[in-house]
Amino acid sequence: MSVLLLVTSVTSILQSQDAHAAQITTRSLTLQTGAGGDGGSKPSGVVNHAFTFTAPGSTAIQSVKFEYCTTASVTACVAPAGMTATGATISGGGWSIGAVTPSATAPYITHSGTVNISAGVTFTLVGVTNPSATNSTFFVRITTYTSTDRSTGLTDSGSVAASTATQIVVTGTMPESIVFCTGAVISMVGSIPDCTTATAGSVTFNQLFSPTDTATATSQMAASTNAASGYVITVSGTSLVSGGNTIADAGGTATSVAGSRGTSKFGLNLVANTTAAATPAVGAAINPVSNIGLVLRGQATTDFGTADSFAYASGGSTIARSDYTSGGPFPTNGQKYTVSYFANVSGSQAAGSYAATLTYVCTATF
């Protein structure tokens, strides 16, 4: 008879609790990055806890308690080590952190009026310190009340679970870098020059040399660097020679291509040329186009960046650089230059097969 009475008594208590508290539904706890940059699940991180749930009925409430425990609602609540909501806030909607006997591990929020939350709500506690244990699950028991200080009027309840997690730290090293290549043709992959596609460096003029017309040819080069002082590209080599005969350098100062026709001159530039003044339409603008001060800083120097003009000093010339703006730094993403070659000859230029060997050097200063 005693056992029967005990069972009857326990059943009566459980039925009494069930009658006063229904389960909230669609409930979750999302750990969000805090104002200081701590990731949502970082152990001991000061983060934001966003609670979302739906009340099963239409009872108007005035307070909600969030009790942090190491277990769900089956056993007595033991607070997770290191967890605290002291100093946490909640913004908007007329809700505030309760001030009556607040608890660091069981904060509650209160509203001056009654609120119906049967349509679903999200409450975000801002500035909660996560439990200190790594890769550890914790639970929050949510209870709603009709009173403003969660002292009376328990209506609905339910638990949510979350976990701290070890932060993954991914590290890598970017070394000092320079990428430079030359070839007859260099292809682009999207907007990036691909030096693995550079073809051989043998190029041929488009026509026989003539005192009444300009012969042209092109090659390409590409460069990028993370050097703080950027890069400088120079060219040196021979002029066009055939045995003992030479087509002279155009010189280090920009000279009109068309204006030099009928005179033996060999030179180059790094821009798109037009048909103005009978200059051949050859070459191309730097690709991608420079945006000085941002991430595409390469530019031809003045004497090699003037359309329809050419220059070349076989002893060496600076033809492009990435350090044009003042102040620095001057790292730059990859850009492709098209080098246009021009050959004018006089009527007395000796016949022969002419060739020039040019060496391009890109120097980055770190």
Side-chain angles (χ1 to χ4, degrees):
M1 183 178 296
S2 297
V3 173
L4 179 60
L5 290 174
L6 177 60
V7 171
T8 302
S9 176
V10 171
T11 302
S12 176
I13 292 172
L14 291 176
Q15 288 176 341
S16 176
Q17 289 177 339
D18 290 343
H20 290 87
Q23 280 282 312
I24 60 175
T25 61
T26 319
R27 55 191 186 273
S28 66
L29 166 57
T30 302
L31 308 182
Q32 301 175 336
T33 299
D38 285 351
S41 63
K42 179 183 177 182
S44 299
V46 180
V47 300
N48 303 333
H49 288 186
F51 296 89
T52 299
F53 60 89
T54 300
S58 58
T59 302
I61 66 166
Q62 286 190 275
S63 61
V64 183
K65 181 175 72 172
F66 304 95
E67 186 176 20
Y68 287 76
C69 310
T70 57
T71 61
S73 57
V74 178
T75 60
C77 180
V78 176
M83 180 272 153
T84 179
T86 300
T89 61
I90 184 169
S91 60
W95 293 89
S96 61
I97 297 293
V100 177
T101 60
S103 170
T105 59
Y108 73 96
I109 59 175
T110 182
H111 198 283
S112 58
T114 57
V115 180
N116 189 328
I117 61 172
S118 60
V121 290
T122 296
F123 296 118
T124 301
L125 297 181
V126 178
V128 176
T129 300
N130 276 340
S132 56
T134 299
N135 296 331
S136 177
T137 298
F138 62 94
F139 300 84
V140 183
R141 303 175 186 181
I142 306 170
T143 312
T144 62
Y145 300 86
T146 57
S147 63
T148 59
D149 61 359
R150 50 90 173 101
S151 60
T152 60
L154 184 153
T155 57
D156 307 311
S157 64
S159 295
V160 291
S163 179
T164 60
T166 298
Q167 291 189 303
I168 305 301
V169 179
V170 181
T171 61
T173 300
M174 176 64 189
E176 291 79 2
S177 173
I178 180 172
V179 177
F180 181 63
C181 58
T182 59
V185 176
I186 300 170
S187 298
M188 302 287 290
V189 176
S191 61
I192 301 173
D194 184 359
C195 281
T196 65
T197 67
T199 60
S202 179
V203 296
T204 303
F205 281 95
N206 66 323
Q207 63 185 37
L208 299 176
F209 295 159
S210 167
T212 61
D213 200 3
T214 300
T216 64
T218 61
S219 70
Q220 295 182 325
M221 61 183 181
S224 71
T225 187
N226 61 4
S229 296
Y231 65 71
V232 174
I233 300 176
T234 60
V235 62
S236 61
T238 67
S239 188
L240 284 168
V241 295
S242 175
N245 300 311
T246 301
I247 297 176
D249 301 346
T253 302
T255 302
S256 169
V257 173
S260 300
R261 192 165 293 162
T263 303
S264 293
K265 295 288 184 183
F266 167 61
L268 56 96
N269 68 28
L270 277 65
V271 292
N273 298 280
T274 69
T275 56
T279 302
V282 64
I286 187 172
N287 185 21
V289 175
S290 297
N291 50 17
I292 301 303
L294 298 178
V295 294
L296 297 167
R297 295 185 171 90
Q299 275 196 336
T301 57
T302 301
D303 290 313
F304 295 87
T306 304
D308 308 322
S309 295
F310 61 169
Y312 175 62
S314 55
S317 299
T318 297
I319 60 174
R321 59 196 313 146
S322 68
D323 59 348
Y324 272 94
T325 55
S326 61
F330 307 106
T332 180
N333 287 343
Q335 294 172 276
K336 180 173 73 173
Y337 299 86
T338 296
V339 183
S340 298
Y341 305 95
F342 302 89
N344 286 330
V345 294
S346 65
S348 61
Q349 185 67 46
S353 180
Y354 287 79
T357 300
L358 307 180
T359 300
Y360 292 89
V361 175
C362 182
T363 301
T365 302
F366 295 93

